[in-house]
Amino acid sequence: MNRVLPVLTVLTGIVVIWYAAAVWMNAAWVFDQAQRAGQEVTWAEVIPQTMDQPRPLLPPPHQVGAELWKGLFGQAVTSKRSLVYHGIVTLKGTMMGFGLGIVVGVLLAMAIVRFRVMDLSVMPWAIISQTVPIVALAPMIITVSSQLGLSGRDVPKAVIAAYLSFFPVLVSMVKGLRSPDQMQLDLLKTYGAGEAATFLKLRLPASMPYFFASLKVAVAASLVGTIVGELPTGAIEGLGARMLIGSQFGEPLIMWAALFAAAILAGLLILTVGLVERVARRRMGVPA
């Protein structure tokens, strides 16, 4: 209860504020309709009408929950209205970008730790790259991909996802590979260990806690990158496409349901990374 109670308290506060905001924002439509009909309404009549509008400015939690349930369990998985179907499309792009981001981040970290010139030249540019808004880069990446003959949407989405996910892996791996102190390094030298043995037996195991911590950030960033990549590609599939369709056609319930489906997907991905970390730590003989 000591762990659950604070979470439930915060969640209750969010729901109360959400309902209050929904009443305040949706009441304008109720008053407008009453004025057009030449009627007067009291707040006792307004509040129920703000809870069940077909196109509310801010859907209350129960409406979002009903739409989310319908999208997840009320449709066939193969249906284009199913959030499970669109979630799988987004998951595919997320995993491609996540994998690419891990490879790029780890290889750059190894090069930066091994070669001082890489540290002085690449690391500043890697930091600067994260100051560029991904919304501005996404159309450029899509244009370049089309010029290279990559007509599909998967590769641009993967590149955008990798762009956001490689940086936390890079920074954490650099920190992790450099975490062994000089005494440990000197001890291996006295055993006659070369650079490869030092890397495999000391630097790499020492970097694992940093690595898995970065993966939890990177997988969420990769999901965000995939959703952002679905917006300017003209995609009709994926959670980002559902959000865009809901926005364009004035269907806020669709947009909010897709948003919460993305949040659920992010949570599942982070839990999966946590499970992989536990298995890896157990195999390495490290207490979980």
Side-chain angles (χ1 to χ4, degrees), residues 1-23:
M1 286 300 296
N2 291 335
R3 293 183 178 182
V4 175
L5 186 59
V7 176
L8 292 179
T9 302
V10 174
L11 182 60
T12 302
I14 292 174
V15 171
V16 170
I17 294 173
W18 189 350
Y19 269 113
V23 172

Side-chain angles (χ1 to χ4, degrees), residues 185-209:
L185 296 172
D186 291 340
L187 179 61
L188 282 184
K189 285 183 180 180
T190 62
Y191 292 154
E195 289 188 7
T198 301
F199 175 80
L200 293 175
K201 296 182 181 299
L202 179 58
R203 292 190 183 274
L204 188 61
S207 68
M208 286 298 99

Side-chain angles (χ1 to χ4, degrees), residues 118-141:
M118 290 290 290
D119 188 13
L120 296 175
S121 60
V122 174
M123 195 62 179
W125 285 107
I127 296 172
I128 293 172
S129 70
Q130 299 303 298
T131 65
V132 181
I134 188 61
V135 178
L137 279 179
M140 300 180 189
I141 295 173

Side-chain angles (χ1 to χ4, degrees), residues 9 21 43 59 80-81 90 100 102 109 113 128 198 215 217 222 232 263 265:
T9 302
W43 277 104
K80 296 297 180 67
R81 295 180 178 272
T90 299
L100 180 59
I102 291 175
V113 172
I128 293 172
T198 301
L215 291 188
V217 179
S222 182
L265 179 58

